[in-house]
Amino acid sequence: MVVPRVGPAPALSVPPDVPRRWWEGRADVPLYAAFAAFAAGTAVVTHLPPHRVWGWCAAVAYGLGAVAAASGRLRRGPVAWGVTAGAALLPLAVLAGSGLAQPEVGVVHRAGALLLERGTPYLDAGELAAWRGYEGYNPYLPGMALFGVPWALAGIDARLLFGAVLAAALLWGARRTPPLLLASPLVALPLAVGGDDLPVIGLVCLGLALAARDRPGAAGLALGVAATLKATALPALVVCLALVVVRHRAGAGRFLGGAGGVVAVGVLPVVAVDPRGFVENVVRFPLGLAGVASPAASPLPGRLLADLGAYGHAAALVALGAAAAAMALSLLVRPPGDLRAAAGRLALGLALATALMPATRWGYLVYPAVLVVWARAAGRDRPRAVADAGRPREEAAACAA
């Protein structure tokens, strides 16, 4: 008797008479159309000149991308890279040439000049009082000032470096990174108008990818660099440590050593030069304790609570602390075992932090959005069982065989 072979059901495929390239290109048409609608809507409703410039340039680029994708004559990759040039690089060149940017770009440029001149990227208390507003504050960690050094030396806009670090980190972390992600408004809009969050996102993704490949030392270095740029990278250190412990417990020391060493080298010398300036800019100002209103005023729960007064501000901080404690407990009870799980957990934590911070804005949601999209394309590794995490790689491979 012949036993029929039982296997997985065949996947749905394109009819043989339809070229695969034509089918895949057509699948991107709705995305490009949605991107074009978002860009045009941004240009119409915004009151910010940089966003208006980006909106009109990107609307045309996305519209042309939709036409090219609908034709089916070009592959998805070249279309996406062409759209990236039109939706991100072209408006960036226009804005950089005209000197238009969000305020944070000027903050980074000034920080680079101060770092070269004084050894610290922060203004002291007296200088901050003279500004009489938020423009004098620098809420970033010392490493961000390095992106402003080329501007101080040669007039090179920091946004070019932001984009270069993001692209290099994402592509190094996963060759499956979809070009459409870089072409999307998630990346194109912040790159053109501001972009200081982009290198942090790229380094966080790279650190998670390296940890998922069982390279804890390299993951620690990548996330350590990210943690010298912005405090938004600090939750990624905790999530990535949980991933390292699950996959390769013996590598936790290497991860902590790499991350801690980079943070110590990148932050402590600046703190030693001007500790009060560091606390005033990096700690008190983002938490709303400096007595100066932050421009990050999106109507999210944390900001709405802070606007109620001292008690409302305290309630926002308590809610933020409770969310952080809940995320930490979830890492202890059910730590992530692969790239997708770690990226999803981190995205959830950053979304909660964005919603509950007293000084917050919609733009911070780019972190969870990029993490989820990128990890979905890049996370092809299979989770390793916790019981096998502490075994040598050769023994685990032999057991699997």
Side-chain angles (χ1 to χ4, degrees):
M1 182 178 64
V2 177
V3 179
R5 183 178 179 181
V6 179
L12 295 176
S13 59
V14 181
D17 58 333
V18 178
R20 182 177 181 85
R21 184 177 66 183
W22 182 90
W23 178 269
E24 290 180 344
R26 283 286 182 125
D28 293 337
V29 174
L31 280 176
Y32 284 127
F35 293 166
F38 173 81
T42 300
V44 170
V45 303
T46 186
H47 64 281
L48 302 173
H51 291 70
R52 186 177 300 112
V53 172
W54 174 83
W56 291 126
C57 291
V60 173
Y62 291 137
L64 293 176
V67 172
S71 70
R73 297 179 180 178
L74 297 174
R75 294 185 180 275
R76 302 177 73 185
V79 173
W81 289 120
V83 172
T84 302
L89 300 183
L90 176 60
L92 173 58
V94 173
L95 292 171
S98 59
L100 291 175
Q102 291 185 168
E104 51 262 37
V105 177
V107 171
V108 173
H109 290 166
R110 185 183 68 229
L114 289 174
L115 183 65
L116 292 175
E117 180 182 350
R118 306 178 181 180
T120 175
Y122 307 111
L123 298 174
D124 58 34
E127 292 170 322
L128 290 174
W131 279 83
R132 297 181 180 179
Y134 68 86
E135 294 90 347
Y137 284 87
N138 174 12
Y140 309 126
L141 289 162
M144 187 66 74
L146 296 178
F147 289 96
V149 170
W151 171 266
L153 295 177
I156 300 176
D157 197 293
R159 287 172 286 183
L160 298 174
L161 304 179
F162 293 155
V165 171
L166 171 73
L170 290 183
L171 295 174
W172 185 8
R175 295 181 180 178
R176 295 179 181 270
T177 298
L180 192 58
L181 172 61
L182 300 177
S184 71
L186 286 175
V187 173
L189 173 57
L191 174 61
V193 302
D196 59 276
D197 291 304
L198 297 182
V200 183
I201 298 172
L203 290 168
V204 166
C205 291
L206 175 59
L208 292 175
L210 292 172
R213 298 175 194 164
D214 296 330
R215 298 178 59 187
L221 293 176
L223 284 171
V225 174
T228 66
L229 303 179
K230 292 190 73 171
T232 48
L234 297 180
L237 285 171
V238 181
V239 174
C240 195
L241 176 60
L243 176 62
V244 169
V245 170
V246 170
R247 296 183 63 88
H248 192 58
R249 183 168 302 182
R254 279 179 284 165
F255 174 81
L256 292 174
V262 173
V263 171
V265 172
V267 175
L268 292 183
V270 173
V271 175
V273 172
D274 185 12
R276 292 184 59 186
F278 176 85
V279 172
E280 187 71 17
N281 284 270
V282 179
V283 179
R284 290 175 56 83
F285 177 68
L287 293 178
L289 303 176
V292 177
S294 170
S298 297
L300 294 169
R303 180 70 186 190
L304 296 177
L305 284 173
D307 288 342
L308 298 178
Y311 291 106
H313 187 272
L317 294 180
V318 169
L320 182 60
M327 291 302 301
L329 180 61
S330 74
L331 293 176
L332 292 175
V333 174
R334 191 175 181 180
D338 62 1
L339 176 60
R340 289 189 182 182
R345 194 74 57 85
L346 179 59
L348 176 60
L350 291 175
L352 289 173
T354 299
L356 297 175
M357 285 189 299
T360 187
R361 63 182 183 185
W362 294 111
Y364 291 148
L365 293 175
V366 68
Y367 284 91
V370 171
L371 277 167
V372 170
V373 173
W374 177 82
R376 185 175 180 83
R380 303 299 186 187
D381 60 327
R382 295 181 179 179
R384 181 187 299 174
V386 176
D388 291 338
R391 301 183 185 180
R393 297 182 185 179
E394 295 80 4
E395 181 182 349
C399 293

